[in-house]
Amino acid sequence: MSNTDQMPREEGIGSTLNLMEEGYKYILNRRHRFNSDIFETRLLGKKAICMGGKEAAEVFYDTEKFKRKGAAPNRIVQTLFGKNGVQALDGQAHRHRKEMFMSIMSPDEIEKLTDITKKQWEIAVGKWEQMDKVILYEEAKEIMCRTACQWAGVPVQENEVKRLTKNLGAMFESAATVGLNHWLGRHARNYEEIWIEELIERVRKGKVNPPDNTILHRFAWYRDLEGNLLDIETAAVEVINILRPIVAIAIFINFIALAVHHYPEEREKLKSGDEKYAQMFVQEVRRFYPFFPFVVALVKKDFTWKGYKFEEGTLTLLDLYGTNHDPKIWKAPGLFIPERFAKWEGSPFSFIPHGGGDYFMGHRCAGELVTIEVMKVSLDYLANRMDYEVPDQDLSFSMISMPSIPHSKVVIKNVKQRI
């Protein structure tokens, strides 16, 4: 039986620089080069295993084989996830905390969220009619920030909205950067964590009384497996782990606008108001465009898979982008074809822009359902509820920068709401 000595291996001192230079396609490029869905490399001075594809996703999300605690680099924790967030938990503690997140993903709560999203789009379009030009990415972040806070029950004064939008955006925009931008992201998280901590403390003292069914109320009074309230710092991190990902939907909104612009024949199909086609369009946007490149875990205990030995403690990366562009899973993956989802069976391991596996038992992102519904509302506005022009601009996007955002941030002008 083969072992890691026979696993395809990238030669050289380390591949961290290659990863930074190749971005989203780093793992996929080597899967093609080695003609293998698994290979060994070195990242940040340590041995690492990279893998992709449906079967790789299935084993990666086996909680008996992999753990998350200690896997994410500290720079990601300090900007994107926050310390002691649900993403770094394992076992029963993870399942219990995940239930807190999934409890707010009921059909009634998601309907409330979509209603709020529609109202915020209406307000925004009315404002855009008075503007010479609209930088969609920046405006979409503010729409999503207002939506997230209203849905979560987080009170925000009007003069605080732009600051909060900027800081929540900085958390995901800075996660993969170095130097000043990275430190600005850390500062943004630290500032907003303190703000939310003070808010939660006021809730617990009865000075702020959000409705019982809101996220702020539920998270402020959430109790762990031992029956203890979460410490204030962790509770604040988890509230931000609702706000930040909703603001990050602005990235997908930009790509929706790009798809509507670049594929006018698909936009025509959206005019019928067919809910099923809108769902397919949104899913193809999530599959086609770059969002999150990969996820990381540590080998929990020694095991052998496909003849390769995985040793306890080894850093392992699962290729999200590459799996969503895997020709063994998707026919013509480089083409934008919403109809490919007409007969898609919904495998939790072959289509993984928000991770794979089960929401409750595994580490698939709890906010995936929220993302899809908010994207459908946004698509309806960009395709059917407003007229606008897209002037000449640089609509290209990087496959290296993470997150990837069209260089012009999608500028539109002459916005008119359809009556």
Side-chain angles (χ1 to χ4, degrees), residues 24 27 38 87 96 125 149 164-165 168 172 212 241 246 277 298 303 305 327 342 345 350 372 377 392 405 411:
Y24 287 87
I27 299 177
I38 183 170
Q87 298 92 343
H96 187 70
V125 173
C149 290
L164 182 58
T165 298
L168 289 171
F172 57 81
D212 290 354
N241 275 332
I246 293 177
Y277 187 77
L298 296 174
F303 71 92
W305 179 68
E345 297 179 353
S350 62
I372 292 169
V377 171
D392 289 342
I405 300 162
V411 175

Side-chain angles (χ1 to χ4, degrees), residues 11-26:
E11 301 298 333
I13 299 174
S15 297
T16 305
L17 183 59
N18 292 336
L19 172 60
M20 295 175 66
E21 290 177 343
E22 297 177 49
Y24 287 87
K25 291 188 175 181
Y26 168 77

Side-chain angles (χ1 to χ4, degrees), residues 45-186:
K46 298 180 180 180
K47 182 176 83 171
I49 295 173
C50 299
M51 56 185 188
K54 182 174 181 288
E55 291 182 322
E58 288 174 352
V59 71
F60 184 86
Y61 284 100
D62 183 340
T63 56
E64 294 299 313
K65 293 182 172 63
F66 288 94
K67 64 180 182 177
R68 269 58 185 178
K69 186 175 183 179
N74 186 57
R75 64 189 302 106
I76 301 294
V77 173
Q78 295 291 343
T79 52
L80 193 65
F81 296 151
K83 187 178 179 182
N84 298 324
V86 65
Q87 298 92 343
L89 299 178
D90 294 292
Q92 195 174 359
H94 174 261
R95 289 192 293 273
H96 187 70
R97 185 84 62 83
K98 195 69 173 286
E99 286 175 359
M100 178 180 78
F101 281 83
M102 294 307 299
S103 71
I104 62 172
M105 303 300 170
S106 68
D108 286 347
E109 289 302 312
I110 291 180
E111 184 178 358
K112 289 179 186 176
L113 175 63
T114 56
D115 287 343
I116 294 168
T117 305
K118 290 174 185 176
K119 291 175 183 175
Q120 290 300 331
W121 266 99
E122 289 284 335
I123 293 169
V125 173
K127 181 182 75 171
W128 298 348
E129 289 182 317
Q130 312 303 316
M131 295 169 61
D132 292 334
K133 70 174 184 178
V134 174
I135 302 175
L136 184 61
Y137 176 63
E138 300 298 342
E139 293 290 324
K141 282 193 293 184
E142 185 170 321
I143 290 173
M144 290 295 97
C145 181
R146 291 176 182 275
T147 297
C149 290
Q150 187 176 342
W151 186 53
V154 173
V156 184
Q157 300 299 317
E158 184 60 32
N159 62 0
E160 298 175 323
V161 171
K162 291 196 179 298
R163 180 215 79 217
L164 182 58
T165 298
K166 181 180 178 181
N167 284 346
L168 289 171
M171 293 178 200
F172 57 81
E173 292 166 350
S174 67
T177 61
V178 295
L180 178 60
N181 285 340
H182 174 73
W183 288 102
L184 288 174
R186 284 196 180 200

Side-chain angles (χ1 to χ4, degrees), residues 219-277:
F219 286 21
W221 297 108
Y222 167 81
R223 294 184 180 273
D224 62 20
L225 287 167
E226 285 72 44
N228 301 316
L229 289 174
L230 279 182
D231 62 84
I232 293 279
E233 293 81 4
T234 302
V237 163
E238 300 297 37
V239 170
I240 291 174
N241 275 332
I242 293 290
L243 304 181
R244 170 190 51 76
I246 293 177
V247 174
I249 298 174
I251 298 171
F252 277 134
I253 291 173
N254 253 41
F255 285 130
I256 287 172
L258 215 56
V260 166
H261 178 65
H262 282 156
Y263 306 103
E265 69 282 3
E266 303 298 339
R267 180 178 186 174
E268 284 296 313
K269 299 174 188 177
L270 292 164
K271 289 182 178 179
S272 66
D274 183 349
E275 177 78 13
K276 184 177 179 181
Y277 187 77

Side-chain angles (χ1 to χ4, degrees), residues 184-356:
L184 288 174
R186 284 196 180 200
H187 174 75
R189 170 168 281 281
N190 292 338
Y191 187 96
E192 299 307 340
E193 281 187 5
I194 292 171
W195 179 65
I196 296 291
E197 286 167 17
E198 292 172 350
L199 182 58
I200 290 172
E201 191 167 12
R202 289 166 63 200
V203 170
R204 290 180 177 177
K205 290 181 177 179
K207 296 180 179 180
V208 173
N209 296 293
D212 290 354
N213 62 342
T214 59
I215 292 160
L216 178 59
H217 182 274
R218 293 187 188 192
F219 286 21
W221 297 108
Y222 167 81
R223 294 184 180 273
D224 62 20
L225 287 167
E226 285 72 44
N228 301 316
L229 289 174
L230 279 182
D231 62 84
I232 293 279
E233 293 81 4
T234 302
V237 163
E238 300 297 37
V239 170
I240 291 174
N241 275 332
I242 293 290
L243 304 181
R244 170 190 51 76
I246 293 177
V247 174
I249 298 174
I251 298 171
F252 277 134
I253 291 173
N254 253 41
F255 285 130
I256 287 172
L258 215 56
V260 166
H261 178 65
H262 282 156
Y263 306 103
E265 69 282 3
E266 303 298 339
R267 180 178 186 174
E268 284 296 313
K269 299 174 188 177
L270 292 164
K271 289 182 178 179
S272 66
D274 183 349
E275 177 78 13
K276 184 177 179 181
Y277 187 77
Q279 174 88 7
M280 292 189 295
F281 190 99
V282 161
Q283 295 291 60
E284 182 67 345
V285 168
R286 296 175 64 229
R287 185 203 68 83
F288 184 77
Y289 293 100
F291 186 62
F292 212 76
F294 50 78
V295 285
V296 298
L298 296 174
V299 177
K300 189 174 182 179
K301 59 184 179 182
D302 291 0
F303 71 92
T304 300
W305 179 68
K306 292 206 166 193
Y308 298 120
K309 186 177 180 182
F310 286 68
E311 297 178 340
E312 181 180 349
T314 303
L315 178 68
T316 305
L317 284 68
L318 176 67
D319 186 8
L320 300 184
Y321 177 83
T323 300
N324 293 330
H325 290 77
D326 190 332
K328 289 181 288 188
I329 301 173
W330 309 99
K331 184 179 180 180
L335 298 180
F336 185 84
I337 309 173
E339 283 86 352
R340 72 172 76 246
F341 283 96
K343 297 181 180 179
W344 180 62
E345 297 179 353
S347 167
F349 299 106
S350 62
F351 178 47
I352 53 174
H354 278 76

